[in-house]
Amino acid sequence: MAFGNNNQTPPSPNTYDGTQPTQHMQRPQNDTQQGGSPDNQKPKHRLGAVGKGTIAGVVGGAVVSAALVACLVGTGVLKTNTTSGSSASGSSQNITINADGEDTSLATAVAAKVLPSVVTVNVSSASESGLGSGVILDTSGDIITNYHVVEGATTITVTLNDQTYDATVVGSDESSDIAVVKAEFGDTQVTPIEVGDSSSLQVGDWVMTVGSPLGLEQSVSTGIVSALYRNTLTTSSTGTTIYTNLIQTDAAINQGNSGGALVNSQGQLVGINTLLASETESFSGIGLAIPGNYAVEIANKIIAGEPITHAYLGVSTQTVSSQLAQRYHLSTDSGAYVAAVSDGQAAANAGIQAGDIITKFGDTTVASADDLTLAVRSHSVGDTVDVTYVRDGQTNTVSVTLGSDEELQQEEKSRSSSSSSNGSGSSNGSSDGYGYGFSYPGLGDLFGNGGSGSYGSSNGYGY
């Protein structure tokens, strides 16, 4: 297979050249553990996800010069339209927001409406315990939270109005960091949150975060939408969580806020608090939330028992750096080098081949393999996107209709149950967490792997 415009051996898809993508953070350890201190396990994600407990862990990733910490804390920014005398329709509480501007009366009214719909999610396992937050979706007791809040938990309870209720996991999607738990509320009357439209958010909109930061239940903080469409990846031993189109806010977010609500000035859900960027392991004015529209869509599919699918390109890629471009005389010094193409999938159907270097996906410039992963995941199954790539020094553009990763997920479930060795697709799998491994004997020398080619693809077929 040709590497760019030169016939030298391409890099093994199992390795990474050390180039760090921008916007990457890592998640810390569980916030609260039995014994009172975090363990020494590695952070699970490059993105700063707010963790299960109350003490943030240090992460190794860096954005610009700042180490980013992932706590079980929520970030949420959603568009809020402050209108005098408007009534929140559809809410099980008949509360009217009658405040103009960012003043105390507005925050008081929004808090009164939203607090009954946000719970504390308490989790424990044999070795640790912690907490996050959750948002009540319906009167049946379905609660949306983050996957990383309930990950590995053997016992789950939720706390509402100082009462504790047993809960179980309905389902989850690790790749998007969304999970649904069902609480046994019994005869207790609960208040589902009113869902707003996160797509209407604008930079500068007033928002409020609601949750249990540092274990302090029923806490609120106000701020604005600082930015929109933030993208990032977090990696763990089991896979990669892909965050796209995140909402950035300066409303205070600390550990324990993860899975909590980001609401607008009408008390409507516009985001699920998820990530925190900080040099000090605590609030620094940069929090990130999963858009409410996407989070609720995933949650509804989980509740209905429907498969959670994502846009799928069908390539295995490796980041091209300036050093590699110089060494192998490539015609471009950045992009996503296509190491392999999955037969019958979107990329292959559009004519993309192994050896091509993808440099643009839609309107997004692709400087690395991670850039491509994020760009693909920001689209939906069935979207048609123009993809620009370099082949033999020539730049080409083709239209690609994105497929679904449902079949891939089913294959990985079967594979993970029967294989655990390197290169088999489980222990060193694709960056999107589906573990689609490769073995390319003799092709590992470029990244110093001695040509063993025994590890799984760093980005795999998962996008």
Side-chain angles (χ1 to χ4, degrees):
M1 114 186 27
F3 187 22
N5 60 357
N6 186 286
N7 290 325
Q8 299 187 52
T9 303
S12 169
N14 59 317
T15 54
Y16 190 67
D17 65 3
T19 303
Q20 293 294 331
T22 59
Q23 299 286 334
H24 276 205
M25 297 178 271
Q26 288 184 325
R27 281 208 311 233
Q29 311 293 335
N30 292 338
D31 298 333
T32 304
Q33 299 180 349
Q34 294 176 352
S37 62
D39 61 19
N40 293 320
Q41 295 179 353
K42 293 182 180 179
K44 296 205 168 189
H45 292 305
R46 289 179 222 165
L47 281 193
V50 204
K52 300 176 186 171
T54 58
I55 300 175
V58 180
V59 300
V63 172
V64 187
S65 61
L68 297 178
V69 192
C71 318
L72 288 182
V73 47
T75 341
V77 194
L78 296 174
K79 176 180 178 180
T80 60
N81 296 319
T82 304
T83 57
S84 178
S86 63
S87 177
S89 61
S91 173
S92 50
Q93 291 189 97
N94 206 9
I95 294 179
T96 299
I97 308 297
N98 265 323
D100 289 321
E102 186 179 355
D103 57 20
T104 303
S105 59
L106 171 61
T108 300
V110 172
K113 177 179 178 178
V114 174
L115 282 172
S117 303
V118 179
V119 303
T120 300
V121 179
N122 308 284
V123 298
S124 63
S125 66
S127 60
E128 62 184 14
S129 62
L131 62 84
S133 302
V135 180
I136 300 174
L137 285 178
D138 55 44
T139 57
S140 297
D142 292 309
I143 296 169
I144 187 172
T145 186
N146 286 136
Y147 169 84
H148 72 259
V149 171
V150 299
E151 178 185 9
T154 55
T155 302
I156 302 174
T157 61
V158 301
T159 303
L160 177 66
N161 297 328
D162 296 324
Q163 298 294 316
T164 299
Y165 305 89
D166 292 334
T168 55
V169 176
V170 176
S172 62
D173 180 38
E174 179 180 2
S175 184
S176 58
D177 200 16
I178 293 295
V180 174
V181 300
K182 181 180 284 291
E184 301 301 328
F185 287 122
D187 295 332
T188 301
Q189 297 293 316
V190 295
T191 305
I193 200 161
E194 181 182 356
V195 178
D197 180 11
S198 59
S199 68
S200 66
L201 287 175
Q202 297 178 8
V203 174
D205 282 346
W206 185 96
V207 289
M208 173 183 284
T209 57
V210 189
S212 303
L214 305 180
L216 300 173
E217 300 174 3
Q218 298 281 281
S219 296
V220 303
S221 179
T222 63
I224 62 170
V225 174
S226 302
L228 297 168
Y229 309 115
R230 298 300 195 195
N231 296 336
T232 190
L233 298 172
T234 69
T235 58
S236 72
S237 59
T238 58
T240 294
T241 303
I242 303 173
Y243 297 94
T244 61
N245 301 325
L246 293 172
I247 302 163
Q248 180 184 331
T249 183
D250 66 347
I253 291 174
N254 288 283
Q255 293 205 15
N257 277 119
S258 278
L262 178 71
V263 300
N264 60 18
S265 61
Q266 298 305 307
Q268 300 167 330
L269 181 71
V270 288
I272 296 297
N273 300 329
T274 301
L275 302 175
L276 166 67
S278 175
E279 292 181 327
T280 60
E281 305 174 24
S282 59
F283 170 66
S284 65
I286 301 176
L288 298 168
I290 299 171
N293 290 3
Y294 178 71
V296 172
E297 177 186 357
I298 295 295
N300 285 336
K301 287 184 177 181
I302 291 173
I303 294 169
E306 299 175 2
I308 309 300
T309 60
H310 311 95
Y312 178 56
L313 182 59
V315 294
S316 170
T317 63
Q318 185 64 46
T319 296
V320 175
S321 67
S322 57
Q323 294 85 353
L324 292 178
Q326 182 177 7
R327 179 176 178 180
Y328 285 89
H329 310 292
L330 303 180
S331 56
T332 179
D333 61 2
S334 67
Y337 171 79
V338 178
V341 179
S342 181
D343 292 340
Q345 298 298 332
N349 293 340
I352 295 175
Q353 302 175 6
D356 293 342
I357 300 174
I358 297 175
T359 58
K360 193 171 183 179
F361 189 88
D363 295 329
T364 301
T365 298
V366 175
S368 68
D370 285 340
D371 285 349
L372 180 61
T373 302
L374 289 167
V376 173
R377 187 56 64 82
S378 67
H379 288 269
S380 300
V381 176
D383 284 355
T384 298
V385 184
D386 287 340
V387 177
T388 300
Y389 62 90
V390 177
R391 178 186 299 169
D392 297 328
Q394 300 296 316
T395 299
N396 309 279
T397 299
V398 294
S399 291
V400 178
T401 300
L402 299 176
S404 166
D405 65 353
E406 182 175 3
E407 181 179 347
L408 177 70
Q409 293 186 55
Q410 294 301 321
E411 290 177 357
E412 173 52 24
K413 287 180 181 179
S414 299
R415 181 178 297 102
S416 62
S417 64
S418 60
S419 177
S420 62
S421 61
N422 288 347
S424 67
S426 57
S427 60
N428 288 280
S430 69
S431 71
D432 68 352
Y434 298 136
Y436 208 105
F438 292 93
S439 180
Y440 285 96
L443 299 185
D445 60 308
L446 179 61
F447 293 94
N449 286 324
S452 64
S454 60
Y455 296 87
S457 165
S458 66
N459 287 285
Y461 281 128
Y463 53 88

